Amino acid sequence: MSEPFSVRITVRGYETDVQGHLNQSVYINYAEHARWSLLQAAGITQAGLLAKGVGPVALETTIRYRRELLAGDEVDVTCVFEWGGGKTFRIRQTISKADGTVSAQLTSVGGLLDLEERRMVADPTAYFKELATDPGLFGL
């Protein structure tokens, strides 16, 4: 397997809480940013998803906080899709400081929602393969 997809983000002061470390909800924003960045890098746009009548949905997210992040810290947010053959898929993400210190690990379960039927599509990999110009970024 190749290296995980990754984006770099600088922690902004307004994202920190009263203790001075990154607010817990912002970790999810960083993870979401990395996922959409991966979609974009693979050639999948929101408009393309809508044209196919589907949209990504988050069903579950687990976060393990490891080390605090402070304003000004640069972090790398990785993103790896894991396919199980059903309606859902897993996304594993790590948020690490630039020096490699792991700050958080996230595991999410997602799927693609048929926007007309309001039900999960049976085979999300088929949509990702069809829409992506580089499905290899998803491990497909």
Side-chain angles (χ1 to χ4, degrees), residues 5 11 14 29 34 54 69 72 77 81 85-86 113 133 135:
F5 182 84
V11 176
Y14 63 82
N29 290 337
V54 297
L69 292 172
V77 185
F81 277 64
L113 182 69
T133 56

Side-chain angles (χ1 to χ4, degrees), residues 12-128:
R12 295 164 289 251
Y14 63 82
E15 297 172 323
T16 60
D17 60 20
V18 77
Q19 288 95 306
H21 59 243
L22 188 65
N23 183 281
Q24 64 183 355
S25 66
V26 180
Y27 287 85
I28 292 176
N29 290 337
Y30 287 5
E32 183 79 359
H33 175 69
R35 290 192 299 268
W36 277 106
S37 295
L38 171 53
L39 288 170
Q40 183 178 13
I44 297 177
T45 64
Q46 286 180 328
L49 289 164
L50 289 174
K52 284 290 182 188
V54 297
V57 292
L59 301 170
E60 174 184 312
T61 300
T62 302
I63 305 172
R64 302 196 82 164
Y65 301 100
R66 300 294 187 183
R67 295 286 184 268
E68 68 180 353
L69 292 172
L70 306 173
D73 284 343
E74 287 193 338
V75 296
D76 295 310
V77 185
T78 64
C79 189
V80 175
F81 277 64
E82 296 177 352
W83 307 96
K87 294 180 180 182
T88 63
F89 47 84
R90 287 195 183 282
I91 306 169
R92 297 203 187 274
Q93 296 182 265
T94 301
I95 300 175
S96 302
K97 291 183 181 183
D99 69 4
T101 302
V102 174
S103 296
Q105 295 167 308
L106 295 88
T107 304
S108 302
V109 177
L112 284 179
L113 182 69
D114 181 310
L115 298 174
E116 185 175 318
E117 299 291 324
R118 308 308 291 180
R119 296 188 183 277
M120 303 294 287
V121 301
D123 183 9
T125 59
Y127 286 87
F128 280 89

